[in-house]
């Protein structure tokens, strides 16, 4: 637990540095492009359009999901997925990619996964504005359930940070891990719920075991929680088992990731 405490204190004590580096990365990524930061909104918007044509109009044939238009239901999940996916992949490669800079500057490398998460907020905020506009356009009004979005947002950041510390360390030690993680995320896209409504697809009691299995997926828990919030379906404490399991997974990832990180970080440059 001392390793966890050290890692968390490093994030708090270096919060200013995290913000400055993340802003620099935002500008540096698209500085050579004519549209600049607009691509952070335009790129996911194009992908959303493609997914809606294929799954919304094609597979789903324009039917509603959970009583709302499919585009609204999909947007809630896929916007969260884009942020989670980019944060996991970027966080996994954050130390390996920036270790040269870190070796010349005095700040802990443990902040780099959080730097990556922070730099993804620009795109996430823009997409959330699109989501709000779409929901209001379809007549979906705010309710008291929307307040628990804050809880699920904290869940998302906690999971991404804990997973990022673990992934970024393993990527330095085993370079093939990052490539393997990319393949795993491609699979998780289809079983984490951003485009498929599994509760409708497997409504029969004989397939209830499959839903129970999916609910163990932390990403599914977050995406389903966002839908519970914006579509006013229920409170997070009504998912007692899922909630406890989710936080146990986060604590496990944070404890293991912090321990491995503290054990090897003095030798990161040697491994690379």
């Amino acid at each position: 637990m001392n390793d966890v405490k050290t890692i968390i204190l490093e994030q708090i004590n270096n919060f200013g540095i995290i913000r400055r580096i993340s802003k620099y990365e935002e500008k540096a990524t698209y500085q050579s492009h004519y549209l600049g930061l607009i691509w952070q909104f335009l790129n996911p918007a194009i992908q959303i359009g493609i997914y809606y044509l294929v799954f919304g109009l094609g597979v789903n044939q324009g039917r509603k999901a959970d009583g709302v238009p499919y585009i609204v239901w999909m947007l809630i999940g896929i916007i969260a997925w884009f942020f989670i996916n980019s944060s996991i992949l970027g966080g996994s490669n954050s130390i390996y990619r920036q270790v040269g800079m870190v070796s010349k500057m005095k700040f802990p490398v443990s902040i780099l996964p959080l730097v990556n998460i922070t730099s993804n907020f620009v795109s996430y905020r823009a997409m959330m504005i699109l989501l709000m506009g779409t929901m209001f356009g379809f007549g979906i009004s705010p309710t008291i359930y929307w307040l628990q979005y804050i809880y699920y947002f904290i869940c998302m950041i906690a999971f991404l940070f804990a997973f990022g510390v673990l992934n970024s360390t393993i990527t330095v030690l085993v370079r093939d891990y990052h490539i393997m993680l990319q393949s795993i995320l491609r699979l998780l896209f289809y079983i984490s719920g951003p485009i498929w409504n599994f509760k409708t697809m497997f409504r029969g009691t004989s397939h209830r075991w499959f839903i129970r299995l999916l609910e163990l997926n932390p990403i599914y828990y977050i995406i389903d929680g966002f839908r519970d919030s914006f579509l006013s379906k229920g409170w997070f404490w009504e998912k007692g088992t899922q909630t406890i399991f989710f936080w146990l997974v986060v604590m496990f990832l944070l404890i293991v990731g912090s321990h491995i990180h503290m054990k090897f970080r003095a030798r990161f440059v040697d491994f690379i």
Side-chain angles (χ1 to χ4, degrees):
M1 291 301 292
N2 288 333
D3 293 334
V4 173
K5 181 180 178 180
T6 300
I7 293 292
I8 293 176
L9 286 176
E10 287 177 347
Q11 313 307 308
I12 297 173
N13 295 334
N14 293 276
F15 184 71
I17 295 176
I18 292 172
R19 291 188 60 187
R20 288 194 292 272
I21 297 178
S22 65
K23 289 182 179 179
Y24 169 79
E25 287 195 348
E26 290 169 11
K27 296 177 181 178
T29 302
Y30 297 99
Q31 66 178 354
S32 61
H33 298 74
Y34 288 113
L35 296 180
L37 292 175
I38 295 177
W39 280 110
Q40 287 194 327
F41 171 79
L42 191 59
N43 187 44
I46 293 172
Q47 294 183 62
I48 287 172
I50 294 172
Y51 287 131
Y52 179 67
L53 287 174
V54 174
F55 296 99
L57 299 181
V59 177
N60 202 52
Q61 299 181 350
R63 291 188 295 268
K64 290 186 176 182
D66 284 343
V68 298
Y70 180 81
I71 184 63
V72 174
W73 185 89
M74 186 190 74
L75 276 175
I76 297 172
I78 209 165
I79 290 173
W81 168 260
F82 283 151
F83 181 76
I84 291 170
N85 180 69
S86 59
S87 296
I88 290 177
L89 288 179
S92 172
N93 213 29
S94 59
I95 294 178
Y96 182 89
R97 183 167 52 90
Q98 300 283 7
V99 73
M101 177 186 68
V102 173
S103 63
K104 300 174 184 178
M105 302 178 69
K106 292 185 178 181
F107 60 80
V109 293
S110 67
I111 71 171
L112 293 178
L114 189 57
V115 166
N116 177 262
I117 295 172
T118 305
S119 65
N120 289 325
F121 276 135
V122 173
S123 175
Y124 181 73
R125 286 195 299 264
M127 298 309 295
M128 286 300 295
I129 292 174
L130 173 64
L131 171 62
M132 293 296 113
T134 304
M135 287 195 297
F136 291 147
F138 282 102
I140 300 175
S141 303
T143 68
I144 190 67
Y145 288 95
W146 284 32
L147 291 176
Q148 74 176 351
Y149 166 80
I150 299 172
Y151 164 76
Y152 283 108
F153 183 80
I154 293 172
C155 288
M156 182 170 66
I157 299 302
F159 170 73
L160 290 175
F161 174 70
F163 204 25
V165 172
L166 177 63
N167 288 336
S168 60
T169 303
I170 297 178
T171 298
V172 173
L173 304 179
V174 183
R175 187 56 187 155
D176 292 345
Y177 178 78
H178 183 72
I179 300 175
M180 181 187 70
L181 190 61
Q182 290 176 318
S183 300
I184 292 174
L185 284 172
R186 292 190 187 100
L187 172 63
L188 285 174
F189 173 71
Y190 292 100
I191 63 174
S192 296
I195 56 174
W196 297 113
N197 190 344
F198 293 110
K199 293 180 180 178
T200 301
M201 293 171 60
F202 300 98
R203 186 171 291 169
T205 55
S206 60
H207 296 97
R208 184 58 187 168
W209 64 270
F210 184 72
I211 300 298
R212 291 293 187 188
L213 186 62
L214 287 177
E215 290 172 349
L216 299 179
N217 177 359
I219 300 176
Y220 181 88
Y221 174 80
I222 294 168
I223 291 176
D224 195 51
F226 283 143
R227 289 193 176 117
D228 285 347
S229 302
F230 288 125
L231 303 181
S232 306
K233 295 194 298 178
W235 298 103
F236 70 89
W237 56 76
E238 296 173 4
K239 301 179 177 180
T241 303
Q242 288 177 254
T243 300
I244 293 173
F245 184 81
F246 172 83
W247 286 109
L248 287 176
V249 170
V250 171
M251 287 304 300
F252 173 79
L253 293 174
L254 185 59
I255 291 171
V256 174
S258 299
H259 176 71
I260 298 176
H261 179 89
M262 296 301 295
K263 181 178 181 179
F264 290 102
R265 77 172 177 181
R267 299 159 53 196
F268 279 164
V269 177
D270 298 332
F271 281 106
I272 295 176

